[in-house]
Amino acid sequence: MGDAPATDMDSNIPSPESDAPSELDRQPFGGLEFQVSEVVGRLEAGVNAQDGEEEEKKTETRKISTGFFEPEEMAMDEILKVLEDLVLKTDPSCESMEPPLLPTDAVTRAAILSHSISALFARLERSHAARLGAHIASETTRWMSHMFRLTDYNAYYHQEQMEGLVRVTRMLLHHRYPRYLEDGALAFASRLPSIYSCVASPLGVVQHLCRQLGLPLACVRPVPVCANGQSMDLEALERLCAEDAAAGRTPLLVLGEAGGPPLGRGCPLRALAALCARTHTHLHVRGHALALPAAMGRDETYSVADSLTLTPGPWFGVPGLPTVTFYKIPEPITANEHSKGVNASGSREGALAALAGLSAGGARLCALPLWTCARAAGAGRLARRIERAFRNARAARALVQSADLKLLSDRPGGDEPPNVDLVDAVSQASACVAFQFAPPDVDKPPAYYDKLNSWLGQVLQREADMISIEVVETEAHGVVLRYCPLEGAPDAGAADAWAPALEAQLSVLRATVALREPFRRRLAQHSTLRLVRVPGWAGLGGVRYVPPGWEEAPIEELNSLNRQLVETLRATDGAFSCGDGEDGMACVRFGMVTADTDVDELLDLVISAGKDVEENSKQLTDMTEVLKKGISAAQEELAREAWQEGLLRRVPVVGRVVAWWAPPAPPAGRRLLLAHGTLQTTEDIYRRVQKKENEEPARAHSPTRQNKQEEQ
């Protein structure tokens, strides 16, 4: 497939970067539904018009238990409305009453529509669909090979990112173990295969590979990194291969990387390929640096690895595109190579049997979204997207380097001099910028810097949400911040967008680190403040206020005192917050500070506010004691008076006479004077209330003087 015109002006398709969304495009699902219906209707009219008429049948009623959900027939508009409501309800960060707009530029719409078309093609006859899929896959493979400068490869298109690697490994098992098709895992029970992966690479890749193929984890052979910590140690890899061959194992697969996550580091591909050729081991390479040839614009080609995995969806910034695995068919194994009595033709047949899964017709139809995307955008425009992503990575690296942050990734490629070989450029390039805030001349920063880097990453994610900053935890370097423009739609001017936010937050970080030790020294001078270690807190630290005499106080009272102290402090400065220390008790957390912060003033503020809270707490405690004692005394007096008053009334027969002769008076209550802490009876209150009640009826029956004058 030929490249589209290089300039946007010459193309008859509007540029995705300059598309102004129409009113139809602003509808979350309406615009896409209209296009899908239009395209599917046109294809149905040309291909399957008669099938559509034959399949129109009367809807049959189904009897399903009432315990199951059975949706009723709905119009398409109602279904889209339900989808919009679901999008709104399932998005916890959505505050508006309308669903978020989906990315609907020209290329994205083409990729989304292609999935509907692919589903429609399933109605074709099997042979027809196979021929159509083979043609689309062939064109897409030629275009992808030309864009990424690959030669002598076959291609397999798949949706799951690691499905291609799984199938290639299955092909290798058929190739190296002739009885694998019949015996399964028993075929290599006596001669275990070995899969080599660098210890710095993600462990999930080899774990997924073993789970999918039923291989024991003993097949995984970790390879250490070289002395500089940048890539796989090739000498150690060669020793492992020799040891495995001597121990009766089969060196099967080496997983190499070119700009792989998380730090964007690679390995010398040319030397690694030569080592794999000597040891008859398959080399599979993955990583974002494999996109570099599309950004360099050279006419060179390379064919170093035995298989590669490319992820054009994130590279182009288009959702729904398949992952592509380029592979070579392995050569037949002769009897004197690695295995005793291996039948060359049988081994070849096993490999071809595995290839049947790599070249199925359904898998070829997976290339349709990528084929449609290339037609909609043009190869030149997609190549410029990759070039812009590498340019953004270089600008971000320059920004990080100027900010005196520690860089952990190699320099992004894209501007190599002409004398650098294409394979060497891919081996040395990085597609991301990995950095961290760390003290100088330290390989792994202290644990406190992990908290600082986590805080910095969260602030940058919030303040510069136009770019994607990822917080990654590594074993060798701790918490690392990572920016990779090839893992989504590349943003023009991304470095300019987050430069102000980065500069502002770095000044806060440096001030906090500089004032941390003075803060602890000043804190040790105050007997009422205790330093508290707060897990996961990046600020100055935690403090617990313990006034004199409270050393043996209950934990609940100390927690209540410090929580009240935090509420008082937050009325003055929002940088204070309440937290729990390692001992589980409440404390006052000091947040991030600026260079002009006075530590002594902060501590004096805490002590002053603590004294006020303590005084209020004492008054409240005293008031509580007064109330308790007053209530207890009132209950005792009332009980004593009731006993004295009712002594004769408790005597049989006499009590009835006494009750008839002198009816019992209403019980006298007690009132507590809080100012003096003394008890008084409530008889005067009863008399005042009774007098007032007696005066009101008399006043109501006697006319006033004014009424008398009116009567006269």
Side-chain angles (χ1 to χ4, degrees):
M1 184 175 79
D3 290 353
T7 61
D8 297 341
M9 188 178 301
D10 297 335
S11 177
N12 58 354
I13 300 176
S15 173
E17 291 82 356
S18 61
D19 277 353
S22 62
E23 186 63 24
L24 188 63
D25 295 338
R26 292 182 182 275
Q27 302 176 8
F29 297 97
L32 296 180
E33 186 268 345
F34 174 79
Q35 296 183 47
V36 170
S37 300
E38 183 183 19
V39 173
V40 171
R42 290 172 56 185
L43 291 175
E44 282 183 345
V47 181
N48 288 334
Q50 296 180 355
D51 295 340
E53 295 177 358
E54 294 176 357
E55 292 180 359
E56 292 181 358
K57 298 180 181 179
K58 184 178 180 180
T59 305
E60 298 180 358
T61 58
R62 295 180 302 164
K63 294 182 180 180
I64 300 181
S65 173
T66 56
F68 294 91
F69 170 68
E70 183 180 8
E72 299 180 355
E73 182 178 354
M74 300 175 64
M76 194 62 197
D77 293 339
E78 297 178 0
I79 296 175
L80 296 179
K81 179 61 177 175
V82 173
L83 283 177
E84 293 176 4
D85 294 340
L86 287 176
V87 171
L88 186 63
K89 292 177 181 178
T90 54
D91 185 7
S93 61
C94 183
E95 299 178 355
S96 63
M97 298 303 296
E98 297 182 358
L101 294 178
L102 299 178
T104 54
D105 61 333
V107 182
T108 302
R109 286 196 297 268
I112 295 174
L113 289 174
S114 64
H115 287 275
S116 300
I117 299 172
S118 179
L120 180 65
F121 284 163
R123 299 179 60 185
L124 296 173
E125 294 182 1
R126 184 182 299 272
S127 59
H128 188 182
R131 290 193 300 270
L132 177 62
H135 179 78
I136 292 175
S138 176
E139 283 194 351
T140 309
T141 301
R142 289 200 303 269
W143 164 65
M144 289 283 290
S145 300
H146 175 69
M147 170 175 275
F148 297 102
R149 305 300 187 262
L150 300 173
T151 56
D152 302 330
Y153 286 101
N154 300 303
Y156 173 67
Y157 301 87
H158 48 95
Q159 294 298 328
E160 295 292 335
Q161 189 169 356
M162 288 188 286
E163 178 64 22
L165 176 59
V166 171
R167 298 202 176 217
V168 167
T169 308
R170 184 179 289 115
M171 175 189 70
L172 296 176
L173 291 175
H174 282 285
H175 178 60
R176 303 300 294 270
Y177 296 90
R179 299 290 303 175
Y180 180 62
L181 185 62
E182 293 81 7
D183 300 340
L186 296 176
F188 46 79
S190 60
R191 190 176 182 86
L192 202 64
S194 296
I195 300 175
Y196 305 93
S197 177
C198 183
V199 294
S201 302
L203 184 61
V205 176
V206 289
Q207 289 179 341
H208 177 80
L209 196 60
C210 291
R211 283 195 299 266
Q212 293 297 316
L213 297 174
L215 298 175
L217 290 179
C219 295
V220 180
R221 300 283 283 166
V223 183
V225 296
C226 55
N228 59 7
Q230 297 293 324
S231 61
M232 182 187 299
D233 189 347
L234 299 187
E235 295 182 358
L237 174 62
E238 190 169 10
R239 287 196 303 270
L240 287 174
C241 291
E243 293 174 1
D244 290 343
R249 301 182 57 155
T250 301
L252 184 71
L253 175 66
V254 174
L255 298 177
E257 290 187 345
L263 302 182
R265 294 174 178 174
C267 51
L269 295 181
R270 196 180 301 278
L272 182 59
L275 189 153
C276 292
R278 292 195 304 270
T279 58
H280 304 282
T281 310
H282 186 96
L283 173 61
H284 181 85
V285 180
R286 65 187 187 94
H288 293 313
L290 296 176
L292 181 62
M296 296 178 65
R298 297 185 183 181
D299 293 333
E300 300 179 53
T301 60
Y302 72 102
S303 178
V304 176
D306 298 304
S307 59
L308 309 97
T309 296
L310 307 184
T311 55
W315 295 351
F316 298 150
V318 179
L321 297 186
T323 301
V324 188
T325 297
F326 285 91
Y327 64 94
K328 298 178 181 178
I329 299 177
E331 295 295 331
I333 299 179
T334 58
N336 57 357
E337 287 180 343
H338 279 287
S339 58
K340 300 177 181 179
V342 173
N343 188 308
S345 60
S347 181
R348 186 65 172 172
E349 292 174 358
L352 294 177
L355 286 177
L358 289 169
S359 57
R364 290 176 176 176
L365 277 177
C366 289
L368 181 60
L370 189 56
W371 181 88
T372 308
C373 173
R375 293 283 186 177
R381 186 174 301 151
L382 294 178
R384 286 195 296 274
R385 286 191 175 188
I386 296 179
E387 182 182 357
R388 185 169 66 250
F390 278 99
R391 185 166 60 248
N392 288 342
R394 293 195 299 270
R397 178 184 172 85
L399 173 64
V400 170
Q401 193 170 13
S402 64
D404 292 333
L405 292 171
K406 183 179 180 180
L407 280 166
L408 301 173
S409 56
D410 297 330
R411 189 178 185 279
D415 59 347
E416 288 80 6
N419 59 346
V420 177
D421 182 74
L422 182 61
V423 177
D424 295 337
V426 173
S427 303
Q428 301 170 5
S430 172
C432 69
V433 181
F435 60 96
Q436 65 179 182
F437 178 76
D441 302 329
V442 175
D443 293 335
K444 185 176 182 178
Y448 174 64
Y449 281 82
D450 291 344
K451 307 173 187 177
L452 295 177
N453 284 287
S454 298
W455 177 86
L456 177 61
Q458 295 172 6
V459 173
L460 290 178
Q461 289 172 352
R462 183 177 65 251
E463 299 293 335
D465 55 353
M466 70 290 297
I467 62 173
S468 177
I469 299 293
E470 184 181 4
V471 180
V472 182
E473 186 172 357
T474 62
E475 183 178 356
H477 304 282
V479 175
V480 176
L481 304 185
R482 182 173 178 269
Y483 167 61
C484 184
L486 279 175
E487 292 182 355
D491 300 314
D496 298 335
W498 62 297
L502 179 62
E503 182 179 358
Q505 304 311 322
L506 284 180
S507 62
V508 173
L509 283 177
R510 295 188 177 102
T512 302
V513 173
L515 292 176
R516 185 173 173 83
E517 288 302 324
F519 170 77
R520 294 190 172 191
R521 289 196 301 268
R522 301 290 194 280
L523 183 63
Q525 300 174 4
H526 298 280
S527 59
T528 57
L529 299 180
R530 304 285 190 273
L531 180 65
V532 179
R533 296 184 179 275
V534 183
W537 185 246
L540 280 179
V543 170
R544 183 175 296 123
Y545 179 71
V546 183
W550 286 62
E551 290 80 3
E552 303 297 331
I555 296 178
E556 293 78 7
E557 295 184 8
L558 275 177
N559 289 340
S560 177
L561 177 66
N562 282 272
R563 291 191 182 100
Q564 295 177 20
L565 175 58
V566 171
E567 294 178 0
T568 304
L569 292 172
R570 287 188 64 84
T572 305
D573 191 345
F576 295 100
S577 61
C578 184
D580 294 333
E582 291 181 342
D583 53 3
M585 297 177 58
C587 65
V588 181
R589 294 188 304 190
F590 287 70
M592 311 297 288
V593 296
T594 56
D596 57 351
T597 301
D598 190 347
V599 175
D600 293 328
E601 183 179 352
L602 286 178
L603 295 177
D604 292 340
L605 177 62
V606 173
I607 295 175
S608 175
K611 291 180 179 179
D612 294 339
V613 173
E614 179 190 1
E615 185 65 27
N616 295 335
S617 178
K618 284 183 178 180
Q619 293 179 1
L620 183 61
T621 302
D622 295 341
M623 186 69 67
T624 303
E625 293 298 328
V626 169
L627 289 174
K628 289 181 179 179
K629 292 180 180 179
I631 293 173
S632 177
Q635 291 175 346
E636 292 177 359
E637 289 187 10
L638 292 175
R640 185 171 56 253
E641 290 181 1
W643 174 260
Q644 295 174 357
E645 179 69 22
L647 183 59
L648 291 177
R649 299 180 190 275
R650 290 182 174 84
V651 179
V653 181
V654 179
R656 297 181 182 178
V657 177
V658 173
W660 171 76
W661 182 262
R670 295 293 185 273
R671 57 179 174 177
L672 177 64
L673 298 181
L674 298 179
H676 305 286
T678 59
L679 288 174
Q680 293 183 359
T681 63
T682 56
E683 294 179 355
D684 55 341
I685 298 177
Y686 288 151
R687 288 195 297 268
R688 192 181 307 118
V689 172
Q690 188 174 8
K691 181 180 180 181
K692 186 176 181 180
E693 291 177 351
N694 295 333
E695 290 178 352
E696 288 181 355
R699 190 181 298 112
H701 292 293
S702 62
T704 61
R705 182 180 301 176
Q706 182 178 357
N707 294 337
K708 292 180 180 180
Q709 293 177 357
E710 290 178 356
E711 291 176 357
Q712 295 175 358

